[in-house]
C-alpha cells in the first residue's frame, strides 16, 4: 500500500473517531455535571433568635398573672359552703377535668360524672330574655345507678330553675358504663334507650321524682354542678396557661 493511501485511510479513521466522540461528549458532560443543591428558604433572624417563642411565653405569663390576680382559682365562698353541705352525703373527687360524685343508696352504688367543659350551648340566644342569658349555662352530667353488675345510666342537663332535665336512659353492664362515662358515648352494641319525652307522662315524672327524692339530685345539687363546672373550667384554663408556659420556656 502506498504512503498516500495509508495516510488517507488514517485521516478517515481519525475523523470517524472524532465524530463519534463529539456525539458522545455532550451526554458525558450532562451526566457528569454537578448537581445543584436544593436550597431551603432562609429563616429570618427573628425566627432563629426565638423572639416569637419568647413573645408567646411573655403573653402566657401575662394572662396567667391576670387570672391569679382575679382569683380565678379561688373557690367562691358560696360554692365552698355548698360543697361542704353536699359532702355530708356525697364523696366528691376531682379527676383532671372530670368531677365525680359517689354515694350508696341501699345496695346500689350511685355515681354522678361531669366534665368542666360539658356546658351546653344555647342554639337561639335571641329566644331567651336578658335574665336567662345571665344565668349559668346548662351543664350536661350523667347519673349511673349500679347493682349486681348492671347499670342504669341517665344523661341529664341542669335547668334554669335549678331542676334537672333527663335526656336519655340506657341499661348497660358496669364495664360498658365505664366506657360510656370515659368516652361520653353509648356503646354501639347497647340498646340506645327510649325517647324520654315519648314515655308516658307519669313515667317521666316518676323518673324525675326518683332522681330528686331518692338519689338526691335536688336544687342544691344542681346549683353545685353548675357553679363547680364553671369554677373547674377556670382552674383548668389557669393550669393550661402555666403548663404551656413551662413547656415553651
Amino acid at each position: 500500500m502506498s504512503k498516500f493511501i495509508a495516510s488517507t485511510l488514517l485521516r478517515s479513521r481519525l475523523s470517524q473517531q472524532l465524530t463519534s466522540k463529539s456525539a458522545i461528549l455532550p451526554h458525558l458532560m450532562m451526566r457528569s455535571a454537578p448537581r445543584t443543591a436544593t436550597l431551603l428558604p432562609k429563616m429570618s433572624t427573628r425566627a432563629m433568635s426565638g423572639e416569637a417563642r419568647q413573645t408567646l411565653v411573655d403573653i402566657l405569663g401575662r394572662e396567667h398573672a391576670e387570672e391569679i390576680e382575679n382569683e380565678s382559682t379561688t373557690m367562691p365562698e358560696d360554692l365552698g359552703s355548698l360543697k361542704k353541705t353536699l359532702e355530708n352525703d356525697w364523696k366528691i373527687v376531682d379527676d383532671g377535668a372530670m368531677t365525680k360524685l359517689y354515694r350508696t343508696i341501699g345496695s346500689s352504688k350511685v355515681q354522678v360524672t361531669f366534665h368542666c367543659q360539658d356546658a351546653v350551648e344555647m342554639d337561639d340566644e335571641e329566644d331567651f330574655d336578658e335574665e336567662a342569658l345571665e344565668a349559668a349555662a346548662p351543664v350536661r352530667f350523667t347519673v349511673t345507678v349500679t347493682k349486681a353488675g348492671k347499670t342504669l345510666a341517665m344523661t341529664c342537663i341542669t335547668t334554669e330553675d335549678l331542676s334537672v332535665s333527663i335526656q336519655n336512659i340506657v341499661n348497660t353492664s358496669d364495664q360498658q358504663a365505664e366506657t360510656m362515662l370515659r368516652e361520653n358515648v353509648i356503646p354501639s352494641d347497647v340498646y340506645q334507650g327510649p325517647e324520654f319525652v315519648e314515655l308516658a307522662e307519669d313515667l317521666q315524672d316518676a323518673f324525675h321524682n326518683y332522681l330528686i327524692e331518692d338519689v338526691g339530685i335536688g336544687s342544691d345539687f344542681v346549683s353545685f354542678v353548675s357553679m363547680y363546672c364553671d369554677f373547674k373550667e377556670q382552674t383548668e384554663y389557669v393550669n393550661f396557661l402555666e403548663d404551656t408556659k413551662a413547656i415553651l420556656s
Side-chain angles (χ1 to χ4, degrees):
M1 180 183 296
S2 66
K3 292 183 179 180
F4 174 77
I5 295 174
S7 176
T8 301
L9 289 174
L10 180 59
R11 286 197 302 270
S12 176
R13 290 175 181 174
L14 289 174
S15 177
Q16 290 177 358
Q17 291 177 0
L18 289 173
T19 301
S20 176
K21 289 182 179 181
S22 64
I24 295 173
L25 185 60
H27 296 286
L28 293 176
M29 292 178 65
M30 291 176 63
R31 292 176 60 184
S32 61
R35 295 182 180 180
T36 302
T38 303
L39 298 178
L40 296 175
K42 293 183 177 179
M43 297 179 66
S44 66
T45 304
R46 175 175 178 173
M48 293 178 65
S49 66
E51 184 178 340
R53 178 190 58 78
Q54 187 57 51
T55 298
L56 175 56
V57 169
D58 292 343
I59 295 175
L60 287 167
R62 182 199 67 196
E63 292 295 300
H64 182 267
E66 289 180 359
E67 293 294 332
I68 297 299
E69 183 179 355
N70 293 332
E71 299 183 343
S72 298
T73 58
T74 301
M75 184 179 296
E77 184 176 345
D78 53 348
L79 176 57
S81 177
L82 190 56
K83 182 174 183 287
K84 186 175 181 180
T85 299
L86 288 182
E87 286 176 332
N88 292 326
D89 299 311
W90 297 86
K91 178 182 179 182
I92 303 174
V93 178
D94 285 317
D95 184 10
M98 299 285 291
T99 299
K100 301 176 182 180
L101 298 93
Y102 302 91
R103 72 175 302 184
T104 300
I105 302 176
S107 57
S108 299
K109 295 180 179 180
V110 178
Q111 177 178 331
V112 176
T113 306
F114 62 90
H115 190 281
C116 71
Q117 292 176 304
D118 270 348
V120 180
E121 297 293 335
M122 297 179 181
D123 294 329
D124 299 310
E125 292 187 351
E126 63 273 12
D127 294 337
F128 297 86
D129 57 30
E130 292 183 1
E131 183 177 350
L133 288 175
E134 293 177 357
V139 177
R140 181 180 292 105
F141 63 96
T142 302
V143 180
T144 60
V145 181
T146 302
K147 180 179 179 180
K150 296 291 184 179
T151 296
L152 174 68
M154 292 170 277
T155 302
C156 307
I157 294 179
T158 62
T159 64
E160 294 176 12
D161 60 356
L162 300 181
S163 185
V164 57
S165 171
I166 301 175
Q167 303 295 301
N168 194 57
I169 300 178
V170 296
N171 290 319
T172 70
S173 67
D174 51 356
Q175 291 87 356
Q176 290 170 326
E178 291 179 5
T179 300
M180 186 181 72
L181 293 174
R182 183 175 60 253
E183 301 179 1
N184 198 27
V185 62
I186 301 174
S188 59
D189 59 341
V190 172
Y191 172 58
Q192 305 294 296
E195 291 290 336
F196 185 78
V197 295
E198 295 181 0
L199 296 177
E201 289 189 9
D202 59 346
L203 182 54
Q204 294 183 45
D205 291 340
F207 271 115
H208 277 114
N209 291 337
Y210 168 71
L211 281 180
I212 295 171
E213 298 174 12
D214 288 11
V215 178
I217 312 296
S219 58
D220 283 350
F221 190 95
V222 173
S223 294
F224 172 78
V225 170
S226 298
M227 296 170 63
Y228 201 69
C229 182
D230 183 63
F231 169 70
K232 281 286 293 182
E233 200 282 331
Q234 289 294 325
T235 302
E236 289 298 314
Y237 174 62
V238 173
N239 291 338
F240 162 80
L241 293 173
E242 185 175 4
D243 292 343
T244 305
K245 179 184 176 184
I247 292 171
L248 297 177
S249 296

